[in-house]
Amino acid sequence: MVQPQLRSNMKYLIVGLGNIGAEYANTRHNIGFKVLDAFAKASNLVFDEHTRYGATVSGRVKNAQVVLLKPSTYMNLSGDAVRYWLTKENIPVENLLIVVDDLSIPFGSLRMKGNGSAGGHNGLKSVEARTGTSKYARLKFGIGSDFPKGAQVDYVLGEWTSEESAALEERIPVAVEMVKNFCLAGLQDTMNRFNNK
């Protein structure tokens, strides 16, 4: 297998979307937080919970610098945190990756995309509004759509079932690898390597 060409000394903003507070910690809408927590734990990084607009930590993935952000703005205002940290860290929007839950793909499926519509997701709507573009990378984590008509809000803000929680232990590490690969080898390589697997 040909190794991807590594890009040197780039800086990335990796944002996991979710809602702060213990009542939301284990909900489907908070998968972005869960993926970033797993990334930080695997890299021996500890979030500073008291930085502006969210919890953040900086680190490295080989030769890439990464800033991890879990916004404290609640989902609907996620774009405020994203715009602030892009500006503060002088990171171009092409080096932004949003980790987000997605109702339109099966539970546990992972899809990397380079742009697209918000698809009704309020966090992505806010990011698009505040950055002025929909051309940013997003890692979509499928949460499925096993809910009756009209119950979407209750579903996304509901907690994982025990079966889902067990499956997450296998899928979250794959999401972490996708984030790392994005930083080291880029969007296209990550899509080719991981999407639909």
Side-chain angles (χ1 to χ4, degrees):
M1 182 186 289
V2 177
Q3 286 297 310
Q5 185 64 43
L6 299 185
R7 299 171 307 167
S8 60
N9 296 317
M10 300 278 266
K11 188 191 279 190
Y12 296 86
L13 179 63
I14 313 299
V15 184
L17 296 189
N19 288 306
I20 58 170
E23 67 270 35
Y24 296 111
N26 201 38
T27 62
R28 295 180 180 91
H29 222 21
N30 268 39
I31 191 62
F33 280 15
K34 269 194 178 302
V35 171
L36 261 64
D37 285 340
F39 186 113
K41 185 177 180 181
S43 304
N44 293 315
L45 300 173
V46 178
F47 278 97
D48 180 346
E49 303 288 338
H50 304 292
T51 53
R52 190 165 181 194
Y53 284 122
T56 62
V57 64
S58 298
R60 296 188 78 84
V61 178
K62 295 185 179 174
N63 58 342
Q65 299 177 64
V66 295
V67 178
L68 307 182
L69 166 65
K70 296 188 295 181
S72 59
T73 54
Y74 290 102
M75 189 66 81
N76 294 4
L77 297 174
S78 300
D80 293 346
V82 171
R83 191 171 83 158
Y84 173 81
W85 283 97
L86 283 173
T87 303
K88 180 177 177 6
E89 295 291 333
N90 195 26
I91 296 172
V93 76
E94 56 265 29
N95 286 8
L96 167 66
L97 175 62
I98 307 287
V99 184
V100 60
D101 60 293
D102 195 301
L103 284 165
S104 67
I105 55 179
F107 168 74
S109 294
L110 295 160
R111 303 269 191 285
M112 184 77 76
K113 289 187 69 180
N115 56 56
S117 76
H121 194 290
N122 289 332
L124 293 182
K125 284 182 187 173
S126 177
V127 172
E128 185 173 329
R130 300 299 280 159
T131 62
T133 184
S134 61
K135 292 182 178 176
Y136 57 84
R138 69 280 311 262
L139 172 53
K140 297 181 166 194
F141 198 114
I143 62 169
S145 55
D146 186 19
F147 56 87
K149 189 172 181 180
Q152 177 174 324
V153 172
D154 290 339
Y155 181 76
V156 298
L157 293 179
E159 297 202 350
W160 302 103
T161 66
S162 56
E163 293 84 0
E164 287 171 335
S165 293
L168 287 178
E169 292 183 18
E170 294 181 5
R171 299 309 290 162
I172 287 176
V174 178
V176 170
E177 285 307 308
M178 291 176 75
V179 172
K180 290 180 179 178
N181 200 78
F182 171 80
C183 297
L184 292 174
L187 174 68
Q188 195 62 50
D189 183 87
T190 308
M191 288 167 56
N192 293 344
R193 211 177 257 225
F194 290 93
N195 280 4
N196 303 314
K197 292 199 174 128

